[in-house]
Amino acid sequence: NRNANVLDGAFVARRLELLAAMGDSAAVTQMLDVTPGRTSNERLLRIESEAKLLRGEFIDACALTNEFMKDNMDIYWQKSFIFCQILSGAMSEAELGISLMRELGVTDELLFLILDSMIKQEIPVIESLPDPSPLIIAALSASKARLNGEILTTPTPTVLPAIAINE
């Protein structure tokens, strides 16, 4: 039903997801700024969080995560929360969070590798980057990860900005 999609934000969310896939996080943010009701729609909040992560706006992304975590236990928000804990210096809490996620069967080994390195205050060396999520791209940036040169051969529009600012 077309009217239901408009009311639940599905149409706007799809447009935003396509903009994000093109790597245009600035346009995503601009569109979100004029989208009514975005704070009550989890899909739109996630898109906003991911756009902020891609732009390196970790404080704003973490504020969204902390606000949304009050009422939600979705795996995405839990991973984002652990990332934010590390950024705020809550290393033992983040380590416990990663351990619990692994025990629950959550598999995101690249993200966990980067987060574990951040907890240990080590710089990770990344050999491959298959279809990274915005959270992984943010963690790469925050951890100052070293990227293998072969990663640079087929970057997606989402990955290009992260590669460009990676020392």
Side-chain angles (χ1 to χ4, degrees):
N1 181 343
R2 188 170 185 218
N3 289 336
N5 285 341
V6 171
L7 293 176
D8 72 4
F11 177 73
V12 172
R14 185 65 187 136
R15 283 191 67 188
L16 288 164
E17 289 165 348
L18 291 171
L19 280 171
M22 291 187 292
D24 196 349
S25 61
V28 169
T29 301
Q30 290 171 347
M31 191 170 170
L32 278 165
D33 286 344
V34 296
T35 301
R38 77 175 191 269
T39 57
S40 61
N41 183 309
E42 190 219 348
R43 189 170 171 193
L44 294 177
L45 283 170
R46 180 173 172 162
I47 292 167
E48 182 174 4
S49 170
E50 290 177 342
K52 289 182 183 305
L53 288 171
L54 289 171
R55 292 174 58 117
E57 298 171 3
F58 301 149
I59 293 171
D60 293 338
C62 288
L64 271 174
T65 297
N66 290 335
E67 182 63 31
F68 201 72
M69 276 296 291
K70 292 177 185 174
D71 300 318
N72 194 306
M73 293 305 290
D74 181 78
I75 295 295
Y76 167 79
W77 295 105
Q78 289 180 34
K79 291 176 187 177
S80 183
F81 186 69
I82 292 168
F83 174 68
C84 294
Q85 286 177 314
I86 293 169
L87 293 180
S88 70
M91 301 305 186
S92 58
E93 292 88 341
E95 195 167 26
L96 177 61
I98 292 170
S99 177
L100 289 172
M101 291 191 93
R102 283 182 170 138
E103 284 182 28
L104 292 171
V106 175
T107 56
D108 197 340
E109 286 312 309
L110 179 58
L111 178 64
F112 294 154
L113 168 86
I114 299 166
L115 296 178
D116 283 335
S117 295
M118 291 174 72
I119 289 168
K120 295 173 187 169
Q121 298 181 342
E122 299 172 349
I123 296 175
V125 177
I126 306 302
E127 298 295 329
S128 81
L129 200 55
D131 195 27
S133 68
L135 184 56
I136 286 176
I137 293 169
L140 287 172
S141 175
S143 70
K144 301 189 182 342
R146 293 192 189 112
L147 305 177
N148 178 324
E150 291 180 19
I151 289 174
L152 306 178
T153 58
T154 57
T156 64
T158 309
V159 175
L160 284 173
I163 291 172
I165 62 172
N166 185 292
E167 297 173 14

